Structure formats: structure tokens, C-alpha cells
Amino acid sequence: MGNMVGMMRRVMSAAMVLALAGCCGAAVGQALGQTSGPWVLEKSGTTAGLRGIHAVGGGIAWASGTNGTVLRTEDGGYEWQSCAMPPGAEKLDFRGIWAWDDNTAIVMASGPGDASRLYKTVDGCSSWKLLFTNPDKDGFWDAVNCARKHICTVIGDPVNGAFVVLRSWDGGITWDREVGGSLAADPKKQGVFAASNSSLAIDQMDRWRFFGTGGLSGSSLFFSCEPCRSSSWRVWPVPVFAKNSTSGIFSIGTRPSRSGEPFIIAVGGDYTKPNESFGTAAWSADGGKTWTAAVKPPHGYRSAVAWDADAAAWIAVGTNGSDVSFDDGKTWAPLDDGNWNALSLPWVVGPDGRIAKMDPGKVRKP
């Protein structure tokens, strides 16, 4: 594509090649049980680049990645099962996955035009059904997230001057596109990143929806609120570094707060400068209306962030390691220097089939 988003994808792909070249030699030799900071490596059985991970609970988790790869565990990660490949997915990059239980999951492929697709399994990934293929030749899907039992949302890069927001009310069987000027965006200056399936955040009652953007126009949070009795999207600036097509917000994390409005952490930076820490995290205590940059940010670009309720801490990961914050994002401390893409606690995934599970005993407030 001749726009900013197309350039963003090409640059990110080049950066991924460089990152993989630097990490794969070590990753291939990692043994089951080897640790990296608080992360205990598990045997994935694949060398695919993994960017999708969703922990359902009760020891059940699903992961996804390049070349049509989908994995599943039912025993807390002791064994990861290679799922049947969805039809026609040999060359697809599954950057997002959302599961309800050990049998039911939706996987999202990210790519230009019809390389963005959604598949669903209801039999523990023995078989898959193609749900929806991106009808926009200039489109690119970035994240999928589901609330309640059947309400799902997909966010995509701008098409015809507006971000693409798709909604399903029946578990992904049918999809409708949201329309409205509040989603307006210049495709040469704004985009969403498909780095970890966490650029989109939704609370599980579907009351609050957020997605983060980046690019030449800076970082922004798009916000939709059902309790506000407004179906339109609001937009607020966020102090996360964004000066070009490879920088901005890559992940949004939320947790409940006493005010009733979600507490939000945004992380990101410049994908091509993984060791640059300036502008890699910010926090909001009022549901995204106002933001404050981290005083001591994570020690590099971060592609995913999540709240750990048990540790009362935030965990952020990226291609040069992971960090923890015990003071709601004001200051961050390094946990390790591994190569990670995405997390759904207690799991984290990365390139070359890297899957690890967090040892909670190694994440403690000093």
C-alpha cells in the first residue's frame, strides 16, 4: 500500500527479521524449565513466531502465530498441543486469539486485504470454520477481543478515512461494521499495531472499549463507553512516543478502580529502537481522560502490558525484555532481557516458538 500503514507493516516486518536473527540461536537451544527472570520456559513444539496468547483459566490457554500455527494446553503448560491448521491458513499470520474454554476459540489472521481472516473452533481445535474474510483490499486487522459470551470486536487500520471496528453479537458468526465520524483517521498518519493482540481492550461486561494508536500524528486513545449513554468514540492524546510509522501505543491494559472508571496503562515506543526507553509507558486514573508519562519507564519498547492481581503489579514485555511496576505505572523495574511479543498472564510468548510461564515467587514488591 502507498500509505503510512503500508509502510508501517513493511518496516515492522524488517524489524522482526532483525530481531529474530539476533535471538533465534539462543531460543532454539533453550531447554524445558530454563528460566529468564521470572519466566519458566515451556516446550511449545514449534518454531513459529508467536504473537497471540490467551489464558482462559483452570490451566487452559491458547496461543497462535505464523504459518497458520495454533497451540493449546489443558494442563497449565506442561504439554502444548499443536492444533489442526485452519483451512487455507498455511501462509497466514495468526496474531490474535480469543478463547472461552478448552473447546471454543476464535483466531484472527492479520495481513493486507483478504489475508486478514477469522476462524472458529468448537471442538478443541480438531476442526475450524472460516467465519469472515476482510472485504477491504486496503484493510489490515490488528486485534480481536470478546466480552460476555458472544460479543466480539475486531479493530483494523483506517479504510476510507476511518478506523475499522467490526462487531459480532453471536460469537463471531455474523459481523457488522460501526460507522461514524468519531472513528475518522488519516491512513497516512494514524494506525493500530498488531504486535500482541492487546492494542484493543474491553471489559468483560462490554461497558468500556479502548484502542490505542500511533504514527505521525502521535499517540491517541480511542474510547467508547456504554454507561456514558453514548455510542460515539472519544479521542484523547497519550504521552507515549510516536513520531513515525513504527512508533506509538502498542498495548492497552486495564484494571478496576474505586472510582468506577478503569485504571489504564498504555505502553509502546518505537519498534525499530527496542532499547530506547523514552516515552514507553503512561498511565491514566480517570478512564483515559488525562494521562501522565511514567517517571521511570520500562527499559525499552514494550508490545504488551497486563495487570497481575495476585502480585498487585503491572507486567510489560517487549523484544528486549520485561518490566514490573508496583506503583501503577509511575516507575518500572526490569525483570529480564528476553525476547517477548505478547502476554496473557501467567503466560508470555515470543519469536521462534518461545512460551514461558511466570513464577509468581519471583515477582514480589521490594
Side-chain angles (χ1 to χ4, degrees):
M1 292 182 287
N3 55 21
M4 189 277 288
V5 175
M7 180 173 64
M8 181 186 299
R9 303 306 171 194
R10 290 192 293 272
V11 172
M12 287 182 70
S13 295
M16 275 190 281
V17 171
L18 292 174
L20 285 170
C23 79
C24 287
V28 170
Q30 285 167 340
L32 182 67
Q34 184 176 342
T35 61
S36 178
W39 308 107
V40 181
L41 273 293
E42 298 179 340
K43 186 177 180 181
S44 68
T46 182
T47 58
L50 303 177
R51 289 186 178 273
I53 178 72
H54 186 208
V56 179
I60 300 167
W62 297 67
S64 63
T66 55
N67 300 321
T69 300
V70 182
L71 307 173
R72 184 186 68 148
T73 182
E74 299 177 272
D75 55 13
Y78 180 79
E79 181 179 3
W80 284 89
Q81 168 196 352
S82 293
C83 292
M85 184 177 294
E90 293 82 1
K91 297 182 180 180
L92 296 183
D93 189 354
F94 286 139
R95 297 200 177 188
I97 193 162
W98 189 270
W100 287 272
D101 50 45
D102 58 339
N103 287 315
T104 313
I106 286 178
V107 66
M108 180 197 72
S110 296
D114 61 8
S116 285
R117 304 178 196 174
L118 292 164
Y119 296 86
K120 187 174 184 178
T121 181
V122 295
D123 58 8
C125 75
S126 295
S127 65
W128 296 87
K129 178 181 180 181
L130 177 63
L131 296 177
F132 192 39
T133 300
N134 189 358
D136 302 313
K137 63 180 181 62
D138 294 330
F140 193 109
W141 292 348
D142 300 287
V144 60
N145 195 309
C146 298
R148 301 180 186 173
K149 183 64 177 178
H150 301 293
I151 305 174
C152 296
T153 301
V154 167
I155 183 73
D157 285 324
V159 173
N160 296 325
F163 282 109
V164 173
V165 177
L166 304 171
R167 296 275 273 169
S168 174
W169 305 93
D170 55 12
I173 305 303
T174 59
W175 293 85
D176 299 311
R177 183 179 303 210
E178 289 191 18
V179 295
S182 56
L183 288 168
D186 183 344
K188 295 182 179 180
K189 296 182 178 180
Q190 287 179 287
V192 180
F193 292 97
S196 62
N197 197 48
S198 59
S199 53
L200 170 68
I202 302 174
D203 83 309
Q204 286 307 291
M205 292 303 293
D206 197 50
R207 297 167 300 181
W208 317 88
R209 293 184 293 157
F210 307 91
F211 68 89
T213 71
L216 297 172
S217 62
S219 293
S220 297
L221 180 81
F222 281 68
F223 163 68
S224 177
C225 169
E226 182 179 312
C228 304
R229 298 181 181 180
S230 173
S231 59
S232 63
W233 290 81
R234 304 176 187 179
V235 187
W236 290 304
V238 181
V240 168
F241 178 83
K243 296 290 186 180
N244 52 48
S245 61
T246 61
S247 60
I249 298 172
F250 280 73
S251 180
I252 297 290
T254 67
R255 70 160 178 80
S257 69
R258 293 180 180 179
S259 69
E261 295 179 306
F263 189 98
I264 312 173
I265 296 283
V267 300
D270 190 332
Y271 188 90
T272 65
K273 299 177 180 179
N275 297 318
E276 176 58 60
S277 62
F278 173 76
T280 54
W283 56 273
S284 172
D286 57 9
K289 301 178 186 67
T290 59
W291 288 85
T292 304
V295 175
K296 182 181 179 183
H299 72 283
Y301 150 81
R302 293 292 170 260
S303 56
V305 65
W307 170 249
D308 184 341
D310 292 334
W314 293 91
I315 308 294
V317 302
T319 52
N320 80 336
S322 59
D323 297 85
V324 62
S325 175
F326 292 101
D327 57 8
D328 270 335
K330 299 177 181 63
T331 62
W332 295 80
L335 288 174
D336 86 319
D337 295 320
N339 191 343
W340 309 112
N341 291 327
L343 78 165
S344 180
L345 293 174
W347 280 280
V348 64
V349 296
D352 205 56
R354 286 165 59 90
I355 294 181
K357 190 175 183 181
M358 190 173 70
D359 179 350
K362 294 184 178 181
V363 182
R364 293 176 178 173
K365 188 174 182 179

